[in-house]
Every structure is written in structure tokens, then in C-alpha cells.
Amino acid sequence: MRFGTLIKTLSAAAAFMAVAAAPAQAEEAGPVDSQSWTFTGPLGHYDERQLQRGLYIYQTRCQACHSLGLVRFSSLADLGWELLEGQTGEDVAKAIASNYEIPYINDDGENDTRPGVLNDTFPWALGNPKRATATYGKAPPDLSTMARSRIGGADYIYALLTGYDDAHEQPEGAYYNKVMPVIAMPNPWPADMSDFEYPDGTVPTLEQQSRDVTAFLNWAADPYLEARHKWGIVVVLYMLALTIISFFAYRIVAAQVHSRLEAEGGPEPDH
Amino acid sequence: MAGSRSPFTNPLLKGFDERLPILRAVHYSMTQHAYPKNLNYWWNFGSISGIMLLVMIVTGLFLAMHYKPSVQEDTYGINQAFRSVEHIMRDVKGGMFLRYIHSVGASFFFIAVIFHMFRSLYYGSYKAPRELLWILGCIILILMMAIAFLGYSLVWGVMSFAAAEVITQVFTAIPVLGDDILMLLRGGEDVDDALLNRFFALHFLLPFILAGVVILHILTLQTVGSNNPLGVDIKSKKDTVSFHPYYTFKDIFGLSVFFTIYLAVVAWAPERLAEAINNQPTDYNLPSHIVPEWYLLPFYAILKVFTWDLNIFGLVITGKQLGALAMGGSLGVLFLLPWLDTSPVRSARFRPLYRLAFWGFVLTCVILALVGAQTSGEAFFIPTPFGRIPLGFEAENGFVWGSTQQWGVLFMLYYFGFFIVLMPVLGLFERTRTLPASISEPVLPSSQGAGAVAAAVAVAKPMAKAD
Amino acid sequence: MADTPNDVANPDRRNFLVLSTMTMAGIGAAAGGVGLIRTMTPTRDVAGGGVIEVSLEGISEGSGIIATAGRKKYSIRRRTAEEIAAAVADDASPMRDPQPDADRVKRPEWLVLRLQCPHLGCPPQGTAAGEKRGEYGGYFCPCHNSQFDTSGRIRKGPSPANLPVPKYFFASDDMIVIGKEA
């Protein structure tokens, strides 16, 4: 079989796996349309302003019930803040952290809270799974890896956030969402959002807010995406260079070996 | 295998080699051992598999420096094992690359080994005198499947738990001893801390045993020699070439192509081949749809298609036992392959019917993989980038014609039929093409001179197309 | 196969291609090795740690507190006038590890030390008033009887050096930061 056949087979296999690996699970969910994000594609990167707005939405609309138990405040330092003279991103992250109360056991052995520090993760207002379950019947999930743990990723979260229809009749304690027809999570968006403003003046439409918080959650789940994409460019360029040069090296070695073979043959067979 | 004299002139190398002759063994196998000169690119997957094993062991070692096998939950309800994996991804410098190179690497290790095995199947590399070589390869495959399953459990996400729960349950199908084996695997009634810890220990140990079997595999290869695309034995010096430099450079080139694709997936689609839901820590509830990693899907399909019990004169074999037996059998039959194939001709190039049967088997593995991924009772479909091609429908009375399960049974029958029926029967009745006298010589006796070469070329061309 | 005679007869071209392939593959492998070793460096959650802020409020003269950063212990002692005088007066005495008291404190009233005996690493006693402070009224190591003076200098016993002074600075009059310089 020739090399071309091999490549064709390999890419057909890759294409097949890409299709087959998107399992039948999607059946349970409703339509998830794909959106355009800055972070998809070979050079995909985050829009830092968008992440800042997303953090703001997370703080206003999500964190009363949800947590980001794997996201350290220190990682907020890289969100591209507009810095004052002498200020660092770390200082901003520190300031954000100190607004949170982190539960701990104090020197007297009692439950207490202290201001957050860089190494802390976003706390859970509901405290722990038991209290969350007792309060809501079902614990609101931690959002740290949400964008990685649903098929469709960011598209799924966006579709869910924009998929509420409060006019739909539902049993007590359940809500209607076109992505998940019976959902325990209430609509995060109040009917009247006219008094809500973004600090940077962006017009806070429902879609805008959903996009921003989705981007933020994608960052929370995959904070080193940009580094990985840049790494990918370097590594793939290097590998292509190695592929090309090793191909020519192989060809010239092959030519030499073949000409010698014709003259004297290869090693003597064992048997 | 090594010559009695050290081939080295450097006094340090020579002195070392005279006291421990491993250098001459390597030197001999690289430069003196006879390899067929006509190996094609499909033969690259052997060395690629070896390199992938190395990549997995090395990245695994460094991952183990940060991983914590504990189900202990924190106030977020996140278990320590899951958290430590995320710690690797977020806090360890370069840890995200390390983890993805390992997790994507598992898939690519399987890709390399699967191509390697299908190559062996196509060119008849399992036939005498290479039976043991093939059997060692089958042991490698089974070890790999076990290691991959153990490693997948370590994340302790939703699907990790489901996999551990379901696969350990399979062992209860074993009569009498089943429950005791389950208890030994789990270290208790439940899939819990004890299981996670022993899975970690085994996931660390088994790759080294695997590496040992790989060394045996290579030593066997060096003894019986490589098969080749024509499937005829090496006859003379004219047919052979040493490994170095010809195949060293061919392998470096093949490796480069393979790694370009592999590392591109790491960079841009590291989660594409995995189940998304496993990025959520387990809450010990089984998800509604349980799917293993893609490389286990065909075997999982064979496990799950049995939904009925078998009653042989009062001896009842439950569907669960049938599934477990069939899954075991689907691997076990591979071991018998060298004796099931009765054809004296190795390469499918000269076996037109076997070639059809082979591609049918490849299709079977693909269909079974799809069966493994889809829900049992529902209509089967083929996913394509442009939408689903349905291969079943639900009748008015609610019966599903062409369900996943029915297609699964059909192709499972082909899977076993390929080995148990087609292999022996084809060998007896198939009319094979004329074999060339040797690798270097054309099909017809060489006395016809230049005309024979032209004839050989004419014969070779349509064959190349058919491949 | 491009087995033109030129390729075969051109050992320079062959050597160049073979060598560059080997070099490039080697560079790739080395880069991978560096990446692997890098995963063993302190992780992001511990790197940059070890810096603590300690409030000095409520520490009475002659007493002190122990502050902890990670697994490290620091002694912060508020010295009395007599203790300061004794430390300064001893500057000229023969010592194993001579160092003037002025070089060991930023403000004479406050003595900040890493609480780890240079001998074999035990934590010396003497921080809080009432703990055993040894013959020189400073610190006493219970493991092998090293005696330190009120500046934390070794005066008697096996310790080869003085109790080490960590990096620290006064953020305000009643707050110090240990683990880094201002």
C-alpha cells in the first residue's frame, strides 16, 4: 500500500472517530446551535474584556447557588485588567479575593470565615453539598469544569442560558428550558433587567450577558487554552519540518541502500 | 543471536561489551539481522506503538507524582482524585500538556496498535512460524485494554465510576467464584476508596509488565523474522536489508507523520475523543447512557447485545453470562487465529476472497463500535458529518426493526464467523493467485528475462490498487 | 523512490539530511524532557506562597509569638530594654558566629527569627515568656542543648551558626511581612 493510501485511511479513521465519538447522548438534549466564539479555531483566544464582564455576571447571577471550586483567585490576575500606576494584575485578583468570605476553623476550633486570599478558590455560598441538597432538593453543580463536561461545551451553556421560557407551564420546582425541558435550575435572568448595567457600559442584552458568562465559564474550565493553541502552532510547525526533512533523509538513505543492494545484497538470512 | 566477537573498536565500548554483551546484541539486530527489503508503510506501526508505550510510561510517571487516589470529598462535593487531576491541569506547570499528552496518547496508542494488528491480519503475519509472535501481541492488546480501563477510572468522574461499576460487575457472571472475585476487585461491596487505590497501584504496575511482554514480542520477532507484503519467505541476500539505516529513517519519517497528527489533537481537540461527562466529579449515580472509551466499543457492544437467557436442557445461561462469555470469546478467538486459518498463503494480495472477508471484518469492527456507542433498544443509525443515516425504524406496535441490538447480533455473528467459519473454509477452497518465487523475483521464472519483469509489474499494479 | 545516481553519489547531501534529521529529533526529545522536568517544579499554588503577614498587636514586652508559613515556623519576640542592652553589650564577646545585634534586627524592639536550630533542625524554645530560654536568656534548643542569646546568636552547644534571620519588613508599625523584602 502506498503512502497516499495510508494517509487517506488515517484521515478517514480520524474523521470517523470524530463523528462516532459524538455519542448518541445528544438525544436527551434539545437543539444546541453552534455559536461563534473567539476561543475556537487554531488561533482561538479569549477576549479579556468579555471574561471580565463574564466574571461580573457570574458574581451577580450565578454565585448565589454555584461555586467554582477549582478556580483559584490567583488565576484572575491574567484577565487583562486596566491597571492603575504601580498596580499589578495580582493586586486586582487579591482585591477580588478579599471580597469573599472563606470558611475555616479558627484557632479556637470554631467555624469562622476569613477574607479570601490568592490561593483560595471561589467559595460556595451554600456551604456544602448536604446543605445545598437540603435547600434545593438537588445540589447546584460546581461550574469549574461545566464547559468541558457537556457535549457542545460553550454552545451548550449558551443554549441553556438563552433557552428559558417562563410562559411554559411546569410542575412545582421545575422550569422549562428548550435544551432540557424539565430543569431544576430557575431562570437566572430577571424579567426586568433595565436597571442592570455593565461597569464598562456594554449594552446588557440577555444574549450579551449569556455570551459573556459562557465565555467566562469556558475560561474557568480551560484557562490555558491560549497557551495550548500557541504551543500547538510551534509543535506542529516543528513536526512538519521534521516530517519533511526526515522524508528526504529517508529517500536518500533508501536510494543508497537500494544501489548497494543491487551490487551486494543485504544481510545473510538466518535460515 | 549475538556474534561471539565484539564488533566495537572503541576500547571503552569494547571492554563493556566483552563483559556484558548487550551492545553487540543491539548492534547485531540493527545492522546484521536480515529484514525483508519490501516492508511498506503499514509496517511503521510496530515502532510507533513501541514509542507510544514509552510516551505513556514516561508521562504516567510524572502524572503519578501529583495524582492522589482518594475519594474523600471536600466542601464543594469534589473528590480528591478528581481534584488532583484538575490540580495537574491548573497548578502544575506544564501539567495540562502532560495530562492531555497522556489521555490523548492512550487513544493514539490504540490507533497505532489497531493498525498494526489489522496489518498483521491482512498480510497473514500471524501464520507459522509467527504464531507465538501473534499470541504475545494479543496478550499486549488485552493488557492495554485493562490498563486503559484502570487509567480511565482514576479520574473518578461520572463515567469513571460508571465504568468501574459496570466492568467489575461483569465478573459476577463467572459461576461460583464471581461474587468473590467482585469482592477482591472492589475491596468491599461498593465501588469506593479501596477500589480506586488498587486500581491506581495496578495502573502503575501493569505498563511495566506490558513493556516486558513487548520485549518478548520483539525478541520473538528477531527470531522468526518479519513477514512482508508478499508473504513469501526471505530466500537470499537479495531479499534483505538491515534495519539501520533504511528502516530507522523510514520509521522516523512515519513517527513524524503520526506525531504531527497526535500532537495537533492534543493542542486543538484534547477532549474530542473522550466522554465530556467524565469532566464532572462522580456523584455515584450511573448516567443514563454508559459508554466506554472508543477503543473498547466493539467489545462493549458484544458484551451488551445479549438480552436473553439460554436454556440448554434446564441449564440456564443468563444473558449477562452470555455477554461476558462472548466478550471473553471475542478476545480468546484471536489466540486461536494461527490455527483457524488453513490457507498456506499469507498475504491477502494473493487471496481475493479473503481480502473481501478482511474488509468485511474491518467494517464489522466499525459497526460494532457504533453499536457499542448507541442505546440498545433504539433504531440503529450511522452518524455522518451531514446527519444520521437511519438503519432501523420503530413499527406501529412499538417493535423496533433494525435496532442497535439486532445489528449488533448480526455483526457479532460476522465477527465470530470470520474467525471460526471463513478462516478455515476459505483456506481450503479459495483459489489464490500465483505467488512470486521470492521477494526480488517476479511471479514467473526469471528465465524469461526482461519480459518477466514487465509481466510482474503488470500484475503488481492492479494489486496495488486493490489494496 | 528517487534513486537517481546523483542522490547516491552525493554523500554531502546525505550526511546533511541524516544529521539534521537526527539533530531535530534530538532537539524535540530534549524539549520534551525539559517539559517533563518542569512539571516537577513547585506548582502554581505553592510557588509564591510562604509569604505571611503577621500582626504585632497584643504582644507584650518580653514575650513573643510563633508564626507559621507553610511548614516553617518563625519566632517574633518583643525584647525588653535589658534584653536589647545585653545583646548589644555582647557584640564584642567571643562567639562561634560573630554578628553585631544591629545587623540582626530592623527595629531593636523586635527580634524576628526562623525557628529552626542550625544544628539539626529542632525548633528552639524561648519565644513566649515563661518558656525555657537557656543560660543567655534568649533561646534554648531542647534536642542538643544549644543556647542562644537575646539576639538569637549561638553561645554554647553544638549549633554551628546563629538562628537565621528571615527576609521580612515592617508593613506598618504593628504589621510585619515575613518571606520577602519590602
Side-chain angles (χ1 to χ4, degrees):
Chain A
M1 264 175 238
R2 304 216 48 94
F3 184 64
T5 328
L6 184 65
I7 287 294
K8 268 185 228 154
T9 318
L10 272 176
S11 46
F16 165 72
M17 283 192 322
V19 178
Q25 210 170 25
E27 281 162 359
E28 291 166 21
V32 173
D33 299 326
S34 76
Q35 307 287 326
S36 99
W37 303 101
T38 60
F39 47 82
T40 52
L43 285 167
H45 59 278
Y46 291 116
D47 173 352
E48 288 166 343
R49 289 293 147 81
Q50 186 174 43
L51 297 187
Q52 294 174 20
R53 291 195 300 271
L55 169 63
Y56 186 63
I57 300 291
Y58 171 79
Q59 291 174 321
T60 20
R61 307 234 185 263
C62 313
Q63 72 180 12
C65 298
H66 292 282
S67 54
L68 284 173
L70 298 165
V71 181
R72 292 184 200 282
F73 291 116
S74 55
S75 58
L76 295 173
D78 305 326
L79 285 198
W81 305 99
E82 260 179 60
L83 300 173
L84 305 170
E85 180 86 18
Q87 199 185 24
T88 62
E90 201 165 272
D91 296 331
V92 178
K94 224 181 237 178
I96 295 171
S98 65
N99 289 331
Y100 285 86
E101 297 201 324
I102 310 293
Y104 82 121
I105 293 173
N106 66 19
D107 290 345
D108 300 325
E110 277 148 17
N111 287 324
D112 199 352
T113 60
R114 58 171 174 78
V117 296
L118 286 175
N119 251 350
D120 290 320
T121 54
F122 281 83
W124 197 7
L126 299 176
N128 55 60
K130 277 187 180 163
R131 195 192 297 161
T133 310
T135 314
Y136 290 104
K138 189 172 184 232
D142 185 86
L143 298 181
S144 312
T145 53
M146 191 52 76
R148 276 197 280 131
S149 61
R150 293 292 180 277
I151 294 160
D155 293 336
Y156 174 89
I157 295 178
Y158 179 81
L160 186 95
L161 289 175
T162 54
Y164 279 90
D165 182 358
D166 290 343
H168 237 269
E169 286 282 321
Q170 284 291 29
E172 181 69 24
Y175 304 86
Y176 176 79
N177 190 303
K178 67 178 183 179
V179 174
M180 198 193 288
V182 181
I183 186 170
M185 171 184 159
N187 188 347
W189 315 111
D192 179 18
M193 287 194 282
S194 58
D195 60 342
F196 177 80
E197 278 179 8
Y198 271 122
D200 68 353
T202 305
V203 183
T205 60
L206 186 146
E207 287 75 20
Q208 183 68 43
Q209 296 186 55
S210 302
R211 287 191 72 80
D212 291 348
V213 75
T214 302
F216 174 73
L217 289 178
N218 201 85
W219 168 84
D222 194 4
Y224 299 114
L225 167 139
E226 283 180 48
R228 196 172 66 240
H229 288 176
K230 285 179 188 156
W231 176 90
I233 298 282
V234 173
V235 165
V236 166
L237 285 179
Y238 161 82
M239 284 311 307
L240 285 176
L242 181 61
T243 303
I244 291 166
I245 202 157
S246 62
F247 176 66
F248 285 110
Y250 160 60
R251 271 194 4 164
I252 201 165
V253 164
Q256 190 199 37
V257 168
H258 277 281
S259 71
R260 202 169 53 207
L261 271 184
E262 272 166 38
E264 52 195 273
E268 198 68 56
D270 285 346
H271 36 81
Chain B
M1 71 161 76
S4 54
R5 278 258 189 87
S6 177
F8 300 99
T9 46
N10 178 312
L12 196 64
L13 287 181
K14 190 173 156 69
F16 180 87
D17 188 58
E18 277 166 353
R19 284 154 184 84
L20 180 62
I22 50 173
L23 295 179
R24 82 181 66 169
V26 173
H27 182 264
Y28 171 84
S29 61
M30 295 304 273
T31 64
Q32 310 293 305
H33 185 72
Y35 282 84
K37 67 177 185 183
N38 62 334
L39 301 184
N40 61 26
Y41 281 106
W42 293 103
W43 262 262
N44 282 38
F45 288 102
S47 358
I48 291 175
S49 306
I51 297 288
M52 284 312 299
L53 174 62
L54 190 71
V55 168
M56 296 304 283
I57 286 183
V58 170
T59 51
L61 171 72
F62 284 83
L63 285 168
M65 295 180 189
H66 300 282
Y67 175 74
K68 297 178 189 73
S70 165
V71 304
Q72 172 93 49
E73 279 181 12
D74 58 25
T75 52
Y76 297 97
I78 301 172
N79 64 71
Q80 285 307 304
F82 188 89
R83 180 173 279 279
S84 71
V85 173
E86 286 294 321
H87 166 71
I88 291 168
M89 300 269 279
R90 292 161 190 268
D91 298 330
V92 172
K93 287 170 193 151
M96 177 194 58
F97 298 107
L98 186 67
R99 196 267 172 131
Y100 280 149
I101 286 172
H102 195 75
S103 62
V104 176
S107 283
F108 275 79
F109 192 6
F110 270 98
I111 290 173
V113 166
I114 287 167
F115 276 104
H116 188 62
M117 292 187 78
F118 276 126
R119 189 270 291 151
S120 179
L121 217 50
Y122 187 87
Y123 293 111
S125 302
Y126 49 84
K127 291 185 203 182
R130 301 187 181 82
E131 305 93 330
L132 181 62
L133 184 62
W134 169 261
I135 285 172
L136 287 168
C138 294
I139 294 172
I140 290 172
L141 176 72
I142 290 171
L143 272 173
M144 273 177 71
M145 289 167 63
I147 295 166
F149 158 70
L150 293 169
Y152 192 64
S153 300
L154 297 187
V155 180
W156 219 240
V158 169
M159 206 55 88
S160 299
F161 169 75
E165 176 77 32
V166 171
I167 298 299
T168 49
Q169 277 285 348
V170 170
F171 288 87
T172 58
I174 300 170
V176 189
L177 289 176
D179 289 339
D180 292 335
I181 293 175
L182 181 75
M183 207 56 81
L184 283 179
L185 285 169
R186 292 185 175 180
E189 294 280 338
D190 301 324
V191 169
D192 213 330
D193 211 34
L195 174 134
L196 179 59
N197 276 274
R198 62 195 60 182
F199 273 24
F200 180 48
L202 291 172
H203 185 67
F204 202 107
L205 168 75
L206 290 182
F208 293 99
I209 292 179
L210 175 61
V213 182
V214 167
I215 289 171
L216 297 181
H217 189 69
I218 294 171
L219 288 178
T220 314
L221 174 75
Q222 300 249 315
T223 311
V224 298
S226 284
N227 184 30
N228 66 78
L230 294 174
V232 295
D233 286 329
I234 293 172
K235 297 278 168 23
S236 70
K237 278 172 72 168
K238 284 241 175 274
D239 299 340
T240 71
V241 63
S242 61
F243 194 92
H244 183 79
Y246 183 67
Y247 287 122
T248 346
F249 278 89
K250 193 168 186 169
D251 277 345
I252 292 177
F253 170 57
L255 261 173
S256 302
V257 175
F258 189 82
F259 265 63
T260 307
I261 302 169
Y262 166 33
L263 295 177
V265 172
V266 169
W268 289 290
E271 306 265 5
R272 196 69 193 80
L273 299 169
E275 282 301 313
I277 194 69
N278 209 37
N279 280 316
Q280 188 172 311
T282 180
D283 55 1
Y284 303 96
N285 290 316
L286 290 179
S288 56
H289 188 75
I290 298 170
V291 226
E293 292 289 81
W294 67 266
Y295 36 79
L296 303 177
L297 284 173
F299 303 102
Y300 184 63
I302 290 174
L303 174 71
K304 76 175 186 179
V305 292
F306 289 92
T307 49
W308 64 89
D309 296 348
L310 194 65
N311 191 332
I312 312 167
F313 305 115
L315 174 71
V316 178
I317 305 176
T318 63
K320 179 172 158 183
Q321 286 169 328
L322 283 172
L325 263 176
M327 189 174 73
S330 66
L331 290 165
V333 73
L334 296 177
F335 286 81
L336 302 177
L337 175 58
W339 296 277
L340 287 171
D341 188 344
T342 52
S343 174
V345 176
R346 291 200 189 99
S347 174
R349 280 193 184 175
F350 307 103
R351 302 183 61 192
L353 289 179
Y354 173 72
R355 197 155 62 208
L356 274 178
F358 169 83
W359 287 113
F361 181 70
V362 173
L363 177 74
T364 297
C365 292
V366 172
I367 298 281
L368 284 177
L370 294 174
V371 168
Q374 294 178 22
T375 315
S376 275
E378 291 173 13
F380 184 60
F381 63 88
I382 307 279
T384 71
F386 317 104
R388 294 170 173 185
I389 303 170
L391 289 181
F393 63 94
E394 193 176 331
E396 272 176 30
N397 61 1
F399 184 78
V400 182
W401 291 97
S403 71
T404 302
Q405 195 229 3
Q406 292 159 8
W407 282 101
V409 171
L410 190 67
F411 279 90
M412 181 194 64
L413 289 176
Y414 187 88
Y415 184 101
F416 285 107
F418 175 71
F419 291 112
I420 297 170
V421 181
L422 291 178
M423 282 279 191
V425 171
L426 279 181
L428 296 178
F429 297 106
E430 187 178 30
R431 275 202 55 182
T432 56
R433 291 175 201 248
T434 318
L435 284 179
S438 78
I439 292 171
S440 311
E441 284 164 54
V443 177
L444 301 170
S446 56
S447 59
Q448 294 180 11
V453 177
V457 170
V459 172
K461 268 195 177 158
M463 282 193 292
K465 242 183 204 169
D467 295 347
Chain C
M1 230 45 64
D3 39 6
T4 56
N6 276 347
D7 280 356
V8 186
N10 194 344
D12 284 350
R13 189 175 133 84
R14 177 185 175 274
N15 288 344
F16 168 75
L17 284 168
V18 164
L19 258 177
S20 21
T21 303
M22 289 310 200
T23 314
M24 274 196 72
I27 290 170
V34 170
L36 285 171
I37 300 296
R38 184 162 167 261
T39 64
M40 290 174 72
T41 59
T43 56
R44 292 188 181 92
D45 52 329
V46 299
V51 178
I52 46 164
E53 294 178 345
V54 186
S55 168
L56 302 177
E57 271 178 274
I59 304 175
S60 57
E61 224 171 84
S63 187
I65 57 165
I66 293 173
T68 312
R71 308 287 177 218
K72 290 192 283 293
K73 285 190 165 66
Y74 296 104
S75 166
I76 301 156
R77 205 163 122 178
R78 189 171 176 183
R79 299 192 291 186
T80 60
E82 299 83 62
E83 285 171 340
I84 299 169
V88 174
D90 280 358
D91 278 354
S93 308
M95 274 186 258
R96 185 171 299 152
D97 183 11
Q99 197 182 16
D101 183 60
D103 289 358
R104 296 179 52 80
V105 291
K106 298 223 158 113
R107 296 182 184 180
E109 191 181 8
W110 296 101
L111 178 66
V112 182
L113 299 170
R114 169 88 193 272
L115 206 53
Q116 185 179 42
C117 179
H119 178 220
L120 289 172
C122 291
Q125 297 175 356
T127 301
E131 279 182 26
K132 192 169 181 187
R133 285 179 165 176
E135 285 177 36
Y136 295 85
Y139 294 84
F140 165 73
C141 183
C143 292
H144 303 93
N145 279 322
S146 285
Q147 321 259 348
F148 302 89
D149 67 12
T150 53
S151 190
R153 293 172 294 203
I154 178 66
R155 301 300 290 273
K156 197 175 172 184
S159 173
N162 302 333
L163 287 175
V165 179
K167 288 180 192 164
Y168 72 97
F169 66 93
F170 285 84
S172 67
D173 278 348
D174 50 11
M175 174 76 79
I176 63 166
V177 176
I178 303 179
K180 64 176 180 183
E181 303 284 359

